[in-house]
Short mmCIF file of all heavy atoms in Angstrom, two decimals:
data_model
loop_
_atom_site.label_atom_id
_atom_site.label_comp_id
_atom_site.label_asym_id
_atom_site.label_seq_id
_atom_site.Cartn_x
_atom_site.Cartn_y
_atom_site.Cartn_z
N MET A 377 0.85 -1.18 0.00
CA MET A 377 0.00 0.00 0.00
C MET A 377 0.89 1.24 0.00
O MET A 377 1.79 1.37 0.79
CB MET A 377 -0.88 -0.04 1.24
CG MET A 377 -1.79 1.13 1.36
SD MET A 377 -2.97 0.79 2.72
CE MET A 377 -3.14 2.40 3.37
N THR A 378 0.61 2.14 -0.92
CA THR A 378 1.38 3.37 -0.98
C THR A 378 0.79 4.41 -0.05
O THR A 378 -0.42 4.53 0.05
CB THR A 378 1.36 3.97 -2.40
OG1 THR A 378 0.35 3.41 -3.17
CG2 THR A 378 2.66 3.88 -3.08
N GLN A 379 1.68 5.12 0.59
CA GLN A 379 1.21 6.18 1.49
C GLN A 379 1.07 7.47 0.71
O GLN A 379 1.87 7.76 -0.17
CB GLN A 379 2.21 6.38 2.62
CG GLN A 379 2.22 5.24 3.59
CD GLN A 379 3.08 5.59 4.80
OE1 GLN A 379 4.02 6.35 4.69
NE2 GLN A 379 2.73 5.01 5.93
N LYS A 380 0.04 8.22 1.08
CA LYS A 380 -0.13 9.54 0.48
C LYS A 380 0.92 10.47 1.07
O LYS A 380 1.27 10.35 2.24
CB LYS A 380 -1.52 10.10 0.81
CG LYS A 380 -2.63 9.47 0.02
CD LYS A 380 -3.94 10.16 0.35
CE LYS A 380 -4.93 9.93 -0.76
NZ LYS A 380 -6.16 10.68 -0.56
N PRO A 381 1.41 11.42 0.26
CA PRO A 381 2.37 12.37 0.81
C PRO A 381 1.71 13.25 1.86
O PRO A 381 0.51 13.52 1.80
CB PRO A 381 2.79 13.19 -0.41
CG PRO A 381 1.74 12.95 -1.44
CD PRO A 381 1.11 11.63 -1.13
N ILE A 382 2.48 13.67 2.85
CA ILE A 382 1.96 14.57 3.87
C ILE A 382 1.77 15.94 3.23
O ILE A 382 2.68 16.46 2.60
CB ILE A 382 2.95 14.67 5.05
CG1 ILE A 382 3.08 13.30 5.69
CG2 ILE A 382 2.50 15.72 6.05
CD1 ILE A 382 4.19 13.21 6.71
N PRO A 383 0.57 16.53 3.37
CA PRO A 383 0.34 17.84 2.76
C PRO A 383 1.23 18.90 3.39
O PRO A 383 1.42 18.92 4.60
CB PRO A 383 -1.13 18.14 3.04
CG PRO A 383 -1.68 16.99 3.76
CD PRO A 383 -0.58 16.03 4.09
N THR A 384 1.76 19.74 2.58
CA THR A 384 2.56 20.85 3.05
C THR A 384 2.09 22.10 2.32
O THR A 384 1.50 22.00 1.25
CB THR A 384 4.06 20.64 2.76
OG1 THR A 384 4.22 20.43 1.36
CG2 THR A 384 4.61 19.46 3.52
N PRO A 385 2.35 23.27 2.88
CA PRO A 385 1.95 24.48 2.17
C PRO A 385 2.75 24.60 0.87
O PRO A 385 3.86 24.09 0.77
CB PRO A 385 2.31 25.60 3.14
CG PRO A 385 3.31 25.03 4.06
CD PRO A 385 3.02 23.56 4.14
N LYS A 386 2.16 25.25 -0.11
CA LYS A 386 2.84 25.44 -1.39
C LYS A 386 3.29 26.89 -1.47
O LYS A 386 2.47 27.80 -1.34
CB LYS A 386 1.91 25.10 -2.55
CG LYS A 386 2.62 25.22 -3.88
CD LYS A 386 1.79 24.67 -5.01
CE LYS A 386 2.59 24.77 -6.30
NZ LYS A 386 1.84 24.24 -7.44
N ALA A 387 4.58 27.07 -1.71
CA ALA A 387 5.12 28.41 -1.89
C ALA A 387 4.76 28.88 -3.30
O ALA A 387 5.09 28.22 -4.28
CB ALA A 387 6.63 28.39 -1.70
N CYS A 388 4.07 30.01 -3.39
CA CYS A 388 3.61 30.52 -4.68
C CYS A 388 4.03 31.98 -4.82
O CYS A 388 3.79 32.78 -3.91
CB CYS A 388 2.09 30.45 -4.78
SG CYS A 388 1.42 28.78 -4.60
N HIS A 389 4.64 32.30 -5.94
CA HIS A 389 4.99 33.70 -6.21
C HIS A 389 3.78 34.35 -6.84
O HIS A 389 3.44 34.07 -7.99
CB HIS A 389 6.21 33.78 -7.13
CG HIS A 389 6.73 35.18 -7.25
ND1 HIS A 389 6.42 35.98 -8.31
CD2 HIS A 389 7.51 35.90 -6.42
CE1 HIS A 389 7.00 37.16 -8.14
NE2 HIS A 389 7.69 37.14 -7.00
N LEU A 390 3.07 35.19 -6.08
CA LEU A 390 1.81 35.79 -6.53
C LEU A 390 2.00 37.25 -6.87
O LEU A 390 2.85 37.93 -6.28
CB LEU A 390 0.74 35.63 -5.46
CG LEU A 390 0.46 34.19 -4.99
CD1 LEU A 390 -0.67 34.17 -3.97
CD2 LEU A 390 0.15 33.27 -6.16
N THR A 391 1.20 37.72 -7.81
CA THR A 391 1.31 39.08 -8.33
C THR A 391 0.25 39.99 -7.71
O THR A 391 -0.93 39.62 -7.63
CB THR A 391 1.14 39.05 -9.87
OG1 THR A 391 2.12 38.18 -10.41
CG2 THR A 391 1.29 40.43 -10.47
N LYS A 392 0.69 41.17 -7.31
CA LYS A 392 -0.18 42.20 -6.73
C LYS A 392 -1.42 42.43 -7.60
O LYS A 392 -1.30 42.55 -8.83
CB LYS A 392 0.63 43.50 -6.61
CG LYS A 392 -0.17 44.69 -6.17
CD LYS A 392 0.70 45.93 -6.18
CE LYS A 392 -0.12 47.14 -5.79
NZ LYS A 392 0.69 48.36 -5.80
N ASP A 393 -2.58 42.47 -6.95
CA ASP A 393 -3.88 42.83 -7.55
C ASP A 393 -4.40 41.85 -8.60
O ASP A 393 -5.45 42.08 -9.17
CB ASP A 393 -3.83 44.24 -8.14
CG ASP A 393 -3.70 45.30 -7.06
OD1 ASP A 393 -4.08 45.03 -5.91
OD2 ASP A 393 -3.19 46.40 -7.37
N LYS A 394 -3.69 40.76 -8.86
CA LYS A 394 -4.23 39.73 -9.74
C LYS A 394 -5.22 38.88 -8.93
O LYS A 394 -5.00 38.62 -7.75
CB LYS A 394 -3.08 38.85 -10.27
CG LYS A 394 -3.55 37.74 -11.20
CD LYS A 394 -2.36 36.95 -11.75
CE LYS A 394 -2.85 35.76 -12.57
NZ LYS A 394 -1.74 34.96 -13.10
N THR A 395 -6.31 38.47 -9.56
CA THR A 395 -7.29 37.63 -8.87
C THR A 395 -6.91 36.16 -9.02
O THR A 395 -6.69 35.69 -10.14
CB THR A 395 -8.70 37.86 -9.43
OG1 THR A 395 -9.05 39.24 -9.24
CG2 THR A 395 -9.72 36.98 -8.71
N TYR A 396 -6.82 35.47 -7.89
CA TYR A 396 -6.51 34.04 -7.86
C TYR A 396 -7.72 33.28 -7.33
O TYR A 396 -8.50 33.82 -6.54
CB TYR A 396 -5.31 33.76 -6.96
CG TYR A 396 -4.03 34.36 -7.48
CD1 TYR A 396 -3.60 35.61 -7.05
CD2 TYR A 396 -3.26 33.67 -8.42
CE1 TYR A 396 -2.43 36.17 -7.55
CE2 TYR A 396 -2.09 34.23 -8.92
CZ TYR A 396 -1.69 35.48 -8.48
OH TYR A 396 -0.54 36.03 -8.98
N ALA A 397 -7.87 32.04 -7.77
CA ALA A 397 -8.97 31.19 -7.32
C ALA A 397 -8.39 30.01 -6.56
O ALA A 397 -7.70 29.16 -7.13
CB ALA A 397 -9.80 30.71 -8.50
N TYR A 398 -8.66 29.97 -5.26
CA TYR A 398 -8.15 28.93 -4.36
C TYR A 398 -9.18 27.80 -4.29
O TYR A 398 -10.37 28.03 -4.03
CB TYR A 398 -7.93 29.55 -2.98
CG TYR A 398 -7.51 28.59 -1.92
CD1 TYR A 398 -6.21 28.11 -1.85
CD2 TYR A 398 -8.42 28.18 -0.95
CE1 TYR A 398 -5.83 27.23 -0.85
CE2 TYR A 398 -8.05 27.31 0.06
CZ TYR A 398 -6.75 26.85 0.10
OH TYR A 398 -6.38 25.98 1.10
N CYS A 399 -8.73 26.59 -4.51
CA CYS A 399 -9.63 25.43 -4.50
C CYS A 399 -10.14 25.14 -3.09
O CYS A 399 -9.35 25.03 -2.15
CB CYS A 399 -8.91 24.19 -5.04
SG CYS A 399 -9.91 22.68 -4.94
N THR A 400 -11.44 25.01 -2.93
CA THR A 400 -12.04 24.66 -1.64
C THR A 400 -12.72 23.29 -1.68
O THR A 400 -13.25 22.84 -0.68
CB THR A 400 -13.10 25.71 -1.22
OG1 THR A 400 -14.16 25.71 -2.17
CG2 THR A 400 -12.48 27.09 -1.09
N CYS A 401 -12.72 22.64 -2.85
CA CYS A 401 -13.43 21.36 -2.98
C CYS A 401 -12.49 20.15 -2.88
O CYS A 401 -12.95 19.03 -2.78
CB CYS A 401 -14.19 21.30 -4.29
SG CYS A 401 -13.14 20.99 -5.73
N ASN A 402 -11.19 20.40 -2.95
CA ASN A 402 -10.20 19.33 -2.84
C ASN A 402 -10.13 18.44 -4.08
O ASN A 402 -9.55 17.38 -4.04
CB ASN A 402 -10.46 18.48 -1.60
CG ASN A 402 -9.21 18.20 -0.83
OD1 ASN A 402 -8.15 18.72 -1.16
ND2 ASN A 402 -9.32 17.37 0.18
N LYS A 403 -10.76 18.83 -5.19
CA LYS A 403 -10.76 18.00 -6.40
C LYS A 403 -9.83 18.53 -7.48
O LYS A 403 -9.65 17.88 -8.51
CB LYS A 403 -12.17 17.88 -6.95
CG LYS A 403 -13.10 17.08 -6.07
CD LYS A 403 -14.40 16.79 -6.77
CE LYS A 403 -15.15 15.72 -6.01
NZ LYS A 403 -16.21 15.13 -6.79
N SER A 404 -9.29 19.70 -7.28
CA SER A 404 -8.41 20.28 -8.30
C SER A 404 -7.12 19.47 -8.44
O SER A 404 -6.56 19.00 -7.45
CB SER A 404 -8.05 21.72 -7.92
OG SER A 404 -7.11 22.23 -8.84
N GLU A 405 -6.66 19.31 -9.66
CA GLU A 405 -5.37 18.67 -9.89
C GLU A 405 -4.27 19.70 -9.94
O GLU A 405 -3.11 19.37 -10.20
CB GLU A 405 -5.44 17.84 -11.17
CG GLU A 405 -6.40 16.67 -11.00
CD GLU A 405 -6.47 15.77 -12.21
OE1 GLU A 405 -5.58 15.84 -13.07
OE2 GLU A 405 -7.44 14.99 -12.27
N ASP A 406 -4.63 20.96 -9.72
CA ASP A 406 -3.67 22.06 -9.72
C ASP A 406 -3.70 22.76 -8.37
O ASP A 406 -3.54 23.97 -8.27
CB ASP A 406 -4.02 23.05 -10.84
CG ASP A 406 -2.94 24.09 -11.05
OD1 ASP A 406 -1.76 23.79 -10.79
OD2 ASP A 406 -3.29 25.22 -11.46
N ARG A 407 -3.95 22.01 -7.28
CA ARG A 407 -4.03 22.61 -5.95
C ARG A 407 -2.73 23.30 -5.60
O ARG A 407 -1.68 22.83 -5.97
CB ARG A 407 -4.35 21.53 -4.91
CG ARG A 407 -5.78 21.05 -5.05
CD ARG A 407 -6.16 20.08 -3.98
NE ARG A 407 -6.25 20.80 -2.72
CZ ARG A 407 -5.87 20.27 -1.56
NH1 ARG A 407 -5.40 19.07 -1.49
NH2 ARG A 407 -5.97 20.99 -0.48
N PRO A 408 -2.83 24.44 -4.97
CA PRO A 408 -3.98 24.96 -4.26
C PRO A 408 -4.94 25.77 -5.13
O PRO A 408 -5.90 26.32 -4.61
CB PRO A 408 -3.34 25.86 -3.19
CG PRO A 408 -2.11 26.36 -3.85
CD PRO A 408 -1.61 25.22 -4.69
N PHE A 409 -4.71 25.82 -6.42
CA PHE A 409 -5.56 26.64 -7.28
C PHE A 409 -6.70 25.82 -7.88
O PHE A 409 -6.55 24.62 -8.15
CB PHE A 409 -4.73 27.27 -8.40
CG PHE A 409 -3.64 28.15 -7.87
CD1 PHE A 409 -2.32 27.73 -7.89
CD2 PHE A 409 -3.93 29.39 -7.30
CE1 PHE A 409 -1.31 28.52 -7.37
CE2 PHE A 409 -2.93 30.19 -6.78
CZ PHE A 409 -1.62 29.75 -6.81
N CYS A 410 -7.82 26.48 -8.12
CA CYS A 410 -8.99 25.85 -8.74
C CYS A 410 -8.69 25.56 -10.20
O CYS A 410 -8.10 26.39 -10.89
CB CYS A 410 -10.17 26.83 -8.63
SG CYS A 410 -11.62 26.36 -9.56
N ASP A 411 -9.10 24.37 -10.65
CA ASP A 411 -8.96 24.04 -12.07
C ASP A 411 -10.32 23.75 -12.71
O ASP A 411 -10.39 23.23 -13.82
CB ASP A 411 -8.00 22.87 -12.27
CG ASP A 411 -8.56 21.55 -11.73
OD1 ASP A 411 -9.67 21.56 -11.15
OD2 ASP A 411 -7.87 20.52 -11.89
N GLY A 412 -11.40 24.06 -11.99
CA GLY A 412 -12.75 23.88 -12.54
C GLY A 412 -13.38 22.54 -12.19
O GLY A 412 -14.54 22.31 -12.53
N ASN A 413 -12.65 21.66 -11.52
CA ASN A 413 -13.19 20.34 -11.18
C ASN A 413 -14.29 20.38 -10.13
O ASN A 413 -14.91 19.36 -9.84
CB ASN A 413 -12.08 19.39 -10.73
CG ASN A 413 -11.34 18.79 -11.90
OD1 ASN A 413 -11.89 18.67 -12.98
ND2 ASN A 413 -10.08 18.43 -11.69
N HIS A 414 -14.59 21.55 -9.56
CA HIS A 414 -15.66 21.67 -8.57
C HIS A 414 -17.04 21.66 -9.23
O HIS A 414 -18.04 21.66 -8.53
CB HIS A 414 -15.51 22.98 -7.78
CG HIS A 414 -15.62 24.20 -8.64
ND1 HIS A 414 -14.54 24.85 -9.17
CD2 HIS A 414 -16.71 24.86 -9.08
CE1 HIS A 414 -14.95 25.87 -9.89
NE2 HIS A 414 -16.27 25.90 -9.87
N LYS A 415 -17.10 21.60 -10.53
CA LYS A 415 -18.38 21.77 -11.23
C LYS A 415 -19.43 20.75 -10.83
O LYS A 415 -20.62 21.03 -10.95
CB LYS A 415 -18.17 21.79 -12.74
CG LYS A 415 -17.65 20.49 -13.33
CD LYS A 415 -17.48 20.62 -14.84
CE LYS A 415 -16.98 19.34 -15.46
NZ LYS A 415 -15.55 19.19 -15.40
N ASP A 416 -19.03 19.58 -10.34
CA ASP A 416 -20.01 18.57 -9.91
C ASP A 416 -20.25 18.61 -8.39
O ASP A 416 -20.83 17.69 -7.83
CB ASP A 416 -19.55 17.17 -10.31
CG ASP A 416 -19.49 17.01 -11.82
OD1 ASP A 416 -20.27 17.68 -12.52
OD2 ASP A 416 -18.66 16.22 -12.29
N THR A 417 -19.80 19.68 -7.75
CA THR A 417 -19.98 19.82 -6.30
C THR A 417 -20.75 21.11 -6.03
O THR A 417 -21.05 21.87 -6.95
CB THR A 417 -18.62 19.90 -5.57
OG1 THR A 417 -18.02 21.18 -5.79
CG2 THR A 417 -17.67 18.80 -6.04
N VAL A 418 -21.05 21.35 -4.76
CA VAL A 418 -21.70 22.61 -4.40
C VAL A 418 -20.66 23.66 -4.01
O VAL A 418 -21.01 24.79 -3.69
CB VAL A 418 -22.72 22.43 -3.24
CG1 VAL A 418 -23.85 21.53 -3.69
CG2 VAL A 418 -22.03 21.89 -2.01
N ARG A 419 -19.38 23.28 -4.03
CA ARG A 419 -18.31 24.19 -3.61
C ARG A 419 -17.98 25.18 -4.72
O ARG A 419 -18.18 24.91 -5.90
CB ARG A 419 -17.05 23.41 -3.24
CG ARG A 419 -17.23 22.33 -2.21
CD ARG A 419 -17.77 22.81 -0.88
NE ARG A 419 -16.85 23.57 -0.07
CZ ARG A 419 -16.07 23.06 0.87
NH1 ARG A 419 -16.05 21.77 1.09
NH2 ARG A 419 -15.30 23.85 1.58
N LYS A 420 -17.45 26.30 -4.31
CA LYS A 420 -16.98 27.34 -5.22
C LYS A 420 -15.56 27.70 -4.80
O LYS A 420 -15.22 27.62 -3.62
CB LYS A 420 -17.84 28.60 -5.12
CG LYS A 420 -19.29 28.37 -5.43
CD LYS A 420 -19.54 28.50 -6.89
CE LYS A 420 -21.04 28.49 -7.17
NZ LYS A 420 -21.40 27.69 -8.28
N PRO A 421 -14.74 28.14 -5.74
CA PRO A 421 -13.40 28.56 -5.35
C PRO A 421 -13.45 29.85 -4.53
O PRO A 421 -14.38 30.64 -4.66
CB PRO A 421 -12.69 28.79 -6.69
CG PRO A 421 -13.79 29.05 -7.66
CD PRO A 421 -14.98 28.27 -7.18
N LEU A 422 -12.45 30.03 -3.69
CA LEU A 422 -12.29 31.26 -2.92
C LEU A 422 -11.43 32.21 -3.75
O LEU A 422 -10.27 31.92 -4.02
CB LEU A 422 -11.59 30.94 -1.58
CG LEU A 422 -11.16 32.15 -0.74
CD1 LEU A 422 -12.38 32.93 -0.27
CD2 LEU A 422 -10.33 31.69 0.44
N LEU A 423 -12.02 33.32 -4.17
CA LEU A 423 -11.28 34.29 -4.97
C LEU A 423 -10.54 35.24 -4.03
O LEU A 423 -11.10 35.69 -3.03
CB LEU A 423 -12.24 35.08 -5.88
CG LEU A 423 -13.07 34.21 -6.83
CD1 LEU A 423 -13.98 35.10 -7.67
CD2 LEU A 423 -12.18 33.36 -7.72
N PHE A 424 -9.29 35.53 -4.35
CA PHE A 424 -8.52 36.44 -3.50
C PHE A 424 -7.48 37.18 -4.31
O PHE A 424 -7.11 36.77 -5.42
CB PHE A 424 -7.87 35.69 -2.33
CG PHE A 424 -6.72 34.79 -2.74
CD1 PHE A 424 -5.40 35.20 -2.56
CD2 PHE A 424 -6.94 33.55 -3.30
CE1 PHE A 424 -4.33 34.39 -2.91
CE2 PHE A 424 -5.89 32.71 -3.67
CZ PHE A 424 -4.58 33.14 -3.48
N LYS A 425 -7.03 38.31 -3.75
CA LYS A 425 -5.94 39.11 -4.32
C LYS A 425 -4.97 39.39 -3.18
O LYS A 425 -5.34 39.32 -2.01
CB LYS A 425 -6.45 40.46 -4.84
CG LYS A 425 -7.37 40.37 -6.02
CD LYS A 425 -7.80 41.78 -6.44
CE LYS A 425 -8.73 41.71 -7.64
NZ LYS A 425 -9.12 43.06 -8.09
N ILE A 426 -3.75 39.73 -3.53
CA ILE A 426 -2.80 40.14 -2.49
C ILE A 426 -2.37 41.58 -2.77
O ILE A 426 -2.34 42.01 -3.93
CB ILE A 426 -1.58 39.20 -2.40
CG1 ILE A 426 -0.81 39.15 -3.72
CG2 ILE A 426 -2.03 37.79 -2.00
CD1 ILE A 426 0.53 38.47 -3.59
N PRO A 427 -2.03 42.34 -1.71
CA PRO A 427 -1.73 43.76 -1.88
C PRO A 427 -0.34 44.04 -2.44
O PRO A 427 -0.09 45.12 -2.97
CB PRO A 427 -1.85 44.34 -0.46
CG PRO A 427 -1.64 43.17 0.44
CD PRO A 427 -2.13 41.96 -0.30
N GLU A 428 0.58 43.07 -2.34
CA GLU A 428 1.94 43.25 -2.85
C GLU A 428 2.39 41.98 -3.55
O GLU A 428 2.03 40.88 -3.11
CB GLU A 428 2.92 43.56 -1.70
CG GLU A 428 2.60 44.80 -0.91
CD GLU A 428 2.72 46.07 -1.73
OE1 GLU A 428 3.52 46.10 -2.71
OE2 GLU A 428 2.01 47.04 -1.41
N THR A 429 3.19 42.10 -4.59
CA THR A 429 3.76 40.93 -5.25
C THR A 429 4.76 40.29 -4.30
O THR A 429 5.68 40.97 -3.81
CB THR A 429 4.46 41.33 -6.56
OG1 THR A 429 3.46 41.83 -7.45
CG2 THR A 429 5.17 40.16 -7.21
N GLU A 430 4.56 39.02 -3.99
CA GLU A 430 5.47 38.35 -3.07
C GLU A 430 5.24 36.84 -3.07
O GLU A 430 4.29 36.34 -3.65
CB GLU A 430 5.33 38.91 -1.66
CG GLU A 430 3.97 38.69 -1.04
CD GLU A 430 3.88 39.28 0.36
OE1 GLU A 430 4.87 39.19 1.11
OE2 GLU A 430 2.82 39.82 0.69
N MET A 431 6.14 36.13 -2.39
CA MET A 431 6.02 34.69 -2.19
C MET A 431 5.05 34.46 -1.03
O MET A 431 5.23 35.02 0.06
CB MET A 431 7.38 34.08 -1.87
CG MET A 431 7.38 32.60 -1.84
SD MET A 431 7.19 31.88 -3.48
CE MET A 431 8.81 32.20 -4.17
N ILE A 432 4.03 33.65 -1.27
CA ILE A 432 3.01 33.37 -0.26
C ILE A 432 2.91 31.85 -0.09
O ILE A 432 2.97 31.12 -1.07
CB ILE A 432 1.63 33.90 -0.73
CG1 ILE A 432 1.66 35.40 -0.96
CG2 ILE A 432 0.52 33.51 0.24
CD1 ILE A 432 1.65 36.24 0.29
N PHE A 433 2.73 31.41 1.14
CA PHE A 433 2.52 29.98 1.39
C PHE A 433 1.02 29.72 1.48
O PHE A 433 0.36 30.20 2.39
CB PHE A 433 3.24 29.55 2.68
CG PHE A 433 4.73 29.52 2.50
CD1 PHE A 433 5.49 30.65 2.77
CD2 PHE A 433 5.36 28.38 2.04
CE1 PHE A 433 6.86 30.63 2.59
CE2 PHE A 433 6.73 28.36 1.85
CZ PHE A 433 7.49 29.49 2.12
N LEU A 434 0.52 28.95 0.50
CA LEU A 434 -0.90 28.64 0.46
C LEU A 434 -1.16 27.26 1.04
O LEU A 434 -0.37 26.32 0.84
CB LEU A 434 -1.40 28.69 -0.99
CG LEU A 434 -1.30 30.06 -1.66
CD1 LEU A 434 -1.81 29.99 -3.10
CD2 LEU A 434 -2.06 31.14 -0.89
N CYS A 435 -2.28 27.12 1.74
CA CYS A 435 -2.66 25.85 2.38
C CYS A 435 -3.01 24.81 1.32
O CYS A 435 -3.75 25.10 0.37
CB CYS A 435 -3.85 26.10 3.30
SG CYS A 435 -4.49 24.60 4.07
N THR A 436 -2.51 23.59 1.49
CA THR A 436 -2.90 22.47 0.63
C THR A 436 -3.54 21.35 1.44
O THR A 436 -3.97 20.36 0.86
CB THR A 436 -1.69 21.89 -0.13
OG1 THR A 436 -0.78 21.34 0.81
CG2 THR A 436 -1.02 22.93 -0.99
N CYS A 437 -3.60 21.50 2.78
CA CYS A 437 -4.15 20.41 3.61
C CYS A 437 -5.60 20.64 3.99
O CYS A 437 -6.27 19.71 4.42
CB CYS A 437 -3.31 20.22 4.87
SG CYS A 437 -3.53 21.51 6.12
N GLY A 438 -6.09 21.86 3.86
CA GLY A 438 -7.48 22.17 4.18
C GLY A 438 -7.73 22.41 5.66
O GLY A 438 -8.87 22.61 6.07
N SER A 439 -6.69 22.44 6.48
CA SER A 439 -6.89 22.62 7.92
C SER A 439 -6.77 24.07 8.38
O SER A 439 -7.10 24.38 9.52
CB SER A 439 -5.86 21.80 8.70
OG SER A 439 -6.03 20.44 8.44
N THR A 440 -6.30 24.94 7.50
CA THR A 440 -6.09 26.32 7.91
C THR A 440 -7.39 27.00 8.33
O THR A 440 -8.46 26.71 7.80
CB THR A 440 -5.43 27.13 6.76
OG1 THR A 440 -5.16 28.46 7.24
CG2 THR A 440 -6.32 27.21 5.54
N GLN A 441 -7.28 27.90 9.27
CA GLN A 441 -8.41 28.74 9.68
C GLN A 441 -8.32 30.09 9.00
O GLN A 441 -9.09 31.00 9.30
CB GLN A 441 -8.40 28.91 11.21
CG GLN A 441 -8.57 27.61 11.96
CD GLN A 441 -9.90 26.93 11.66
OE1 GLN A 441 -10.97 27.54 11.79
NE2 GLN A 441 -9.85 25.70 11.21
N ASN A 442 -7.36 30.23 8.09
CA ASN A 442 -7.12 31.51 7.42
C ASN A 442 -6.92 31.30 5.93
O ASN A 442 -5.95 31.78 5.34
CB ASN A 442 -5.89 32.19 8.05
CG ASN A 442 -5.71 33.61 7.58
OD1 ASN A 442 -6.67 34.28 7.24
ND2 ASN A 442 -4.47 34.06 7.53
N ALA A 443 -7.83 30.55 5.31
CA ALA A 443 -7.71 30.25 3.87
C ALA A 443 -7.68 31.55 3.05
O ALA A 443 -8.35 32.50 3.39
CB ALA A 443 -8.89 29.39 3.42
N PRO A 444 -6.84 31.57 2.03
CA PRO A 444 -6.09 30.50 1.43
C PRO A 444 -4.69 30.30 2.03
O PRO A 444 -3.94 29.48 1.56
CB PRO A 444 -5.98 30.95 -0.03
CG PRO A 444 -5.83 32.44 0.09
CD PRO A 444 -6.77 32.82 1.23
N TYR A 445 -4.39 31.05 3.08
CA TYR A 445 -3.02 31.05 3.60
C TYR A 445 -2.78 29.91 4.59
O TYR A 445 -3.66 29.57 5.38
CB TYR A 445 -2.73 32.40 4.30
CG TYR A 445 -3.09 33.56 3.42
CD1 TYR A 445 -4.23 34.33 3.69
CD2 TYR A 445 -2.34 33.88 2.30
CE1 TYR A 445 -4.59 35.38 2.87
CE2 TYR A 445 -2.69 34.94 1.47
CZ TYR A 445 -3.82 35.68 1.77
OH TYR A 445 -4.18 36.71 0.94
N CYS A 446 -1.59 29.37 4.55
CA CYS A 446 -1.18 28.38 5.53
C CYS A 446 -1.07 29.07 6.89
O CYS A 446 -0.49 30.15 6.99
CB CYS A 446 0.18 27.78 5.14
SG CYS A 446 0.87 26.70 6.41
N ASP A 447 -1.66 28.45 7.93
CA ASP A 447 -1.54 29.00 9.29
C ASP A 447 -0.76 28.05 10.20
O ASP A 447 -0.76 28.22 11.42
CB ASP A 447 -2.90 29.35 9.87
CG ASP A 447 -3.78 28.12 10.14
OD1 ASP A 447 -3.33 26.99 9.86
OD2 ASP A 447 -4.89 28.31 10.65
N GLY A 448 -0.14 27.03 9.62
CA GLY A 448 0.65 26.10 10.41
C GLY A 448 -0.15 24.95 10.98
O GLY A 448 0.39 24.11 11.69
N SER A 449 -1.43 24.85 10.68
CA SER A 449 -2.28 23.79 11.25
C SER A 449 -1.86 22.39 10.84
O SER A 449 -2.16 21.42 11.53
CB SER A 449 -3.75 23.99 10.84
OG SER A 449 -4.26 25.16 11.40
N HIS A 450 -1.15 22.26 9.68
CA HIS A 450 -0.76 20.94 9.22
C HIS A 450 0.23 20.32 10.19
O HIS A 450 0.48 19.15 10.19
CB HIS A 450 -0.15 21.02 7.82
CG HIS A 450 1.08 21.87 7.76
ND1 HIS A 450 1.02 23.24 7.58
CD2 HIS A 450 2.37 21.56 7.88
CE1 HIS A 450 2.26 23.73 7.58
NE2 HIS A 450 3.10 22.74 7.76
S1 FES B 1959 -11.60 22.77 -8.43
FE1 FES B 1959 -11.89 22.95 -6.30
S2 FES B 1959 -12.93 24.82 -6.02
FE2 FES B 1959 -12.62 24.66 -8.17
#
């Protein structure tokens, strides 16, 4: 039996004022970003922007209380 990798935050270089779509359904193959696979669920992506261009750690485990950002809950 193969073990699933332990989820870790993904470091993403994000651009100021660009709109990003964070996956909330866990079905995206491009996590942490939405790839449209939520279409058969009731979930919608979380749209967000950042105020400055910078490297951001986005949650990939779904445990954060501050989505889309990693809060160390993993
Ligand atoms: S694919 Fe998960 S919210 Fe869009």
Side-chain angles (χ1 to χ4, degrees):
M377 180 170 144
T378 16
Q379 289 188 330
K380 285 184 159 185
I382 297 170
T384 56
K386 183 170 182 179
C388 301
H389 189 262
L390 303 182
T391 303
K392 174 184 177 180
D393 292 336
K394 180 177 175 181
T395 300
Y396 294 94
Y398 175 77
C399 176
T400 63
C401 76
N402 225 6
K403 291 190 166 196
S404 175
E405 293 182 16
D406 190 29
R407 289 185 70 217
F409 300 105
C410 171
D411 68 357
N413 279 334
H414 62 265
K415 65 180 180 276
D416 296 331
T417 74
V418 296
R419 305 301 288 267
K420 301 273 189 223
L422 171 65
L423 302 180
F424 71 101
K425 294 180 180 182
I426 60 168
E428 300 295 332
T429 295
E430 63 181 321
M431 188 71 73
I432 300 285
F433 289 90
L434 297 179
C435 176
T436 64
C437 74
S439 297
T440 184
Q441 298 298 306
N442 189 29
Y445 309 106
C446 173
D447 67 359
S449 294
H450 61 275

